[in-house]
Amino acid sequence: MTNTISTISEGTQALYGAKLRELGVEHFDEGDQLPEEYRDLVREVVRVQVDVEGVLLYHDWIKGWLDVAPEPRDRMRIAKLHAEELVHGYHFLKMYKQVDRELTAADFEDDEGRKAQYIFSYSFDTWTDIALLNTLADRMGAFIFQDMTDCSYLPWRRLSSRVAKDEWGHTSLGFGNLREICQTEEGKEEAQRLLYKWYPASLDMFGRSDSKRQYAYVAWGLKRSLNEELRQAFVAQVNPLLDSLGLDIPDYTYNRQFL
């Protein structure tokens, strides 16, 4: 499954790449002299990915998922997902060194200065937690990387399609697991209860709707969509999937922190 963003406004389309056009450039590559604002934006978006995936190379919170995988087949599939996330993290660590500095284990000792979204502070207690995280949060990742496949920062662009493909695979695995879970009344009840935990946090991963910085990302050609545009496209895709399992979808504003 791939993502077609159909909610981008004409205004956003007109803004896309405006600052690049002013400078008469189409993109920047590793080693180029980057405009200060551009470097700050790249540093920010790369650091988020480092703190989501690069951290796994030092403090591995995914490894415990193997312990709750119910079948050998599930352990194998999660192990493959795990390996792909580690590869992503390694590449983003290298990319961060290009725009800032080399990070070490000491940078991941505590949460101070970290950029990871709050969803990753939640506990993963059950197989249903993991199925919902993969269904929702990995899908969000797929949307983000799909939106940035023509990113003006070429190191990100070269990696984006590969990461998007992996994340589509992860979210497909998660939904398949969630569908199996919902085949029993007990499983469906647990999924419904935990959906109220994971759904709002996944929506918040797209960022604030009133963020000023999002316009700069679009103007510099780093992202194509605004936060709310991408979030609406996500909802249009994921809500029918959840509905097909007989799950009641939480209200759009329920327990949200970034409206």
Side-chain angles (χ1 to χ4, degrees):
M1 180 183 293
T2 56
N3 168 36
T4 301
I5 307 295
S6 59
T7 54
I8 301 176
S9 70
E10 291 183 4
T12 306
Q13 294 179 44
L15 177 64
Y16 182 72
K19 295 206 173 187
L20 296 174
R21 292 191 293 274
E22 289 176 8
L23 296 179
V25 299
E26 294 183 355
H27 48 66
F28 294 100
D29 205 346
E30 178 181 355
D32 289 346
Q33 185 68 35
L34 304 180
E36 183 178 358
E37 182 184 36
Y38 189 91
R39 179 180 292 276
D40 288 344
L41 294 169
V42 171
R43 183 189 295 117
E44 179 81 8
V45 74
V46 176
R47 185 57 194 262
V48 169
Q49 289 307 126
V50 167
D51 287 336
V52 171
E53 297 177 300
V55 66
L56 301 176
L57 296 161
Y58 297 101
H59 301 289
D60 197 347
W61 46 262
I62 288 184
K63 191 161 52 179
W65 295 8
L66 292 169
D67 295 331
V68 296
E71 301 290 343
R73 174 201 63 178
D74 300 314
R75 290 176 64 87
M76 177 272 293
R77 289 173 174 172
I78 285 295
K80 180 176 183 294
L81 180 154
H82 183 195
E84 289 170 351
E85 298 287 22
L86 286 170
V87 171
H88 299 170
Y90 179 71
H91 285 299
F92 284 116
L93 275 172
K94 290 171 58 180
M95 196 183 301
Y96 193 74
K97 183 180 178 181
Q98 298 167 13
V99 296
D100 194 311
R101 61 187 176 87
E102 185 168 9
L103 297 173
T104 68
D107 292 289
F108 301 95
E109 288 300 321
D110 54 50
D111 291 335
E112 186 175 354
R114 298 272 302 280
K115 299 290 185 180
Q117 295 97 330
Y118 72 82
I119 192 173
F120 295 105
S121 67
Y122 286 0
S123 61
F124 309 98
D125 299 318
T126 71
W127 187 238
T128 305
D129 278 311
I130 296 166
L132 281 164
L133 179 77
N134 294 151
T135 297
L136 299 169
D138 286 338
R139 186 177 304 272
M140 174 272 177
F143 268 68
I144 290 292
F145 285 102
Q146 194 78 30
D147 191 60
M148 297 177 70
T149 52
D150 55 356
C151 175
S152 63
Y153 188 59
L154 295 187
W156 187 288
R157 184 193 297 189
R158 287 190 282 265
L159 188 57
S160 192
S161 292
R162 173 182 173 179
V163 176
K165 181 180 178 181
D166 287 345
E167 297 298 348
W168 285 121
H170 299 172
T171 196
S172 178
L173 173 64
F175 184 70
N177 290 336
L178 184 62
R179 184 169 50 213
E180 288 186 4
I181 288 166
C182 288
Q183 287 176 356
T184 68
E185 277 304 313
E186 181 182 10
K188 186 176 176 181
E189 288 176 5
E190 182 182 38
Q192 182 65 69
R193 174 172 55 82
L194 291 174
L195 186 60
Y196 283 92
K197 170 183 175 182
W198 295 109
Y199 184 83
S202 297
L203 294 185
D204 275 347
M205 291 177 75
F206 288 98
R208 296 183 184 278
S209 299
D210 62 353
S211 165
K212 292 183 173 62
R213 180 170 286 191
Q214 65 181 326
Y215 296 97
Y217 274 107
V218 173
W220 281 110
L222 291 164
K223 298 182 180 182
R224 186 167 287 278
S225 305
L226 298 178
N227 296 342
E228 186 62 21
E229 292 171 342
L230 209 54
R231 184 166 28 241
Q232 288 293 333
F234 172 87
V235 166
Q237 184 182 100
V238 78
N239 281 11
L241 293 174
L242 297 173
D243 186 63
S244 73
L245 301 180
L247 297 173
D248 294 328
I249 299 165
D251 184 82
Y252 189 68
T253 61
Y254 172 77
N255 207 30
R256 294 275 304 283
Q257 296 186 26
F258 301 146
L259 293 174

